[in-house]
Amino acid sequence: MNTISWDLYRTFLAVLRTGSLSAGARDLGLTQPTAGRHVEALERALGYPLFTRSQQGLRPTDAALALQPYAETLASTAAAMERHATGASGDISGVVRISASDVIGIEVLPPILAALQDEHPHLTIELSLSDAVEDLLRRDADIAIRMTNPAQEALVAQRIGNVPIGLHAHRRYLDRYGMPLSPADLKGHRFIGFDRKTAFIRAMEVRFQAMMPTFPALDELNWSYRIDSNVAQLAAIRAGVGIGFCQTGVARRDPDLVRILPDVFELPLETWVVMHENLRGGLRWRKTFDALVQGLRDYARETRPQD
């Protein structure tokens, strides 16, 4: 048997760990077709298949599982050599994929990630913006910012704290329609909300009614503007369409956004930064994880009442 390139074993191990060609390729900074060619080349060199396809992704064969500890040893040795070679310069490179909600990704993360890439210019960031909870165990993302307590095992999680949600409107809207002075006054105003109720939205509604018993029932309010996007809702608030829900830290940055009934209404949104435990030994993931934790904690501090 001819000597088999370490690159083939490295790709095999990445696909084995992540369960898919796309995630394994992303892990290594490769394209998916390249990862596929590496696996096929290794299978030809070894003379037996390493994966079978299923609805859950790629499933390793018994032969692949038997090969895994040897590939792990190669990876450990290669990583030690790389750390020794690059430790002095502290160079960090490669791709890190981050999952976050659209508001966090658009309004909060850019300066955090810009500072990170200023420090490490060879680091590539992929940002996936969605309110869906991506599966870190299947490596849909490397690091996720979640607005719920992570339930999956085998994850490293850092709690950021509660990011409060408040009611806000543009000064232009309030100049025209008046400032609500009590919960009862809200029934006379236009509200901005979602056009369909996801499981997350339904859960937030339950929390809202439990925490705000003096407020009108949500179904009693005039939801005159409905759209399935937090960013679009924020744009509508800024345009003076009506009253909407907004993170207080985001709203505080815009002097024309006014918080409504701040002493009465506040809905805390528990926030976490999460990644798979297998990634914490990787320098680029750990550095990105730490930068997100620090940056988001700084952002959370902005939401505290100012003296």
Side-chain angles (χ1 to χ4, degrees), residues 163-209:
V163 173
I165 302 291
L167 292 173
H168 294 82
H170 195 278
R171 294 184 187 279
R172 184 169 55 253
Y173 173 87
L174 296 175
D175 288 344
R176 184 168 185 176
Y177 296 102
M179 170 70 80
L181 300 179
S182 71
D185 293 341
L186 296 175
K187 291 184 179 181
H189 285 269
R190 299 201 305 258
F191 272 80
I192 301 163
F194 286 92
D195 66 341
R196 60 189 178 89
K197 295 183 180 181
T198 63
F200 178 78
I201 296 302
R202 289 193 295 271
M204 293 300 291
E205 287 182 347
V206 172
R207 289 184 59 199
F208 175 92
Q209 296 295 176

Side-chain angles (χ1 to χ4, degrees), residues 107-224:
E107 297 286 336
V108 181
L109 293 188
I112 298 173
L113 297 176
L116 177 65
Q117 289 187 304
D118 284 343
E119 184 179 358
H120 304 288
H122 297 115
L123 185 65
T124 299
I125 299 295
E126 292 182 355
L127 196 56
S128 173
L129 301 186
S130 171
D131 286 329
V133 178
E134 294 194 351
D135 191 342
L136 296 185
L137 301 185
R138 285 183 50 80
R139 295 293 303 281
D140 294 333
D142 299 322
I143 301 173
I145 299 162
R146 291 184 174 172
M147 301 307 186
T148 182
N149 192 343
Q152 291 175 308
E153 298 179 356
L155 297 179
V156 177
Q158 283 286 334
R159 185 177 183 274
I160 300 303
N162 287 325
V163 173
I165 302 291
L167 292 173
H168 294 82
H170 195 278
R171 294 184 187 279
R172 184 169 55 253
Y173 173 87
L174 296 175
D175 288 344
R176 184 168 185 176
Y177 296 102
M179 170 70 80
L181 300 179
S182 71
D185 293 341
L186 296 175
K187 291 184 179 181
H189 285 269
R190 299 201 305 258
F191 272 80
I192 301 163
F194 286 92
D195 66 341
R196 60 189 178 89
K197 295 183 180 181
T198 63
F200 178 78
I201 296 302
R202 289 193 295 271
M204 293 300 291
E205 287 182 347
V206 172
R207 289 184 59 199
F208 175 92
Q209 296 295 176
M211 297 177 65
M212 307 295 163
T214 63
F215 266 59
L218 292 176
D219 290 341
E220 296 176 2
L221 298 177
N222 176 23
W223 299 98
S224 63

Side-chain angles (χ1 to χ4, degrees), residues 13 25 33 69 78 85 87 89 106 116 155 169 197 213 282 284:
L13 188 59
S89 65
I106 293 170
L116 177 65
L155 297 179
K197 295 183 180 181
R284 71 178 184 267

Side-chain angles (χ1 to χ4, degrees), residues 166-173 191-192 225 230-247 251 254 256-258:
L167 292 173
H168 294 82
H170 195 278
R171 294 184 187 279
R172 184 169 55 253
Y173 173 87
F191 272 80
I192 301 163
Y225 195 91
N230 286 305
V231 172
Q233 289 182 21
L234 179 57
I237 297 172
R238 287 171 170 159
V241 170
I243 297 173
F245 298 88
C246 178
Q247 295 181 26
D254 188 336
D256 287 324
L257 294 188
V258 179

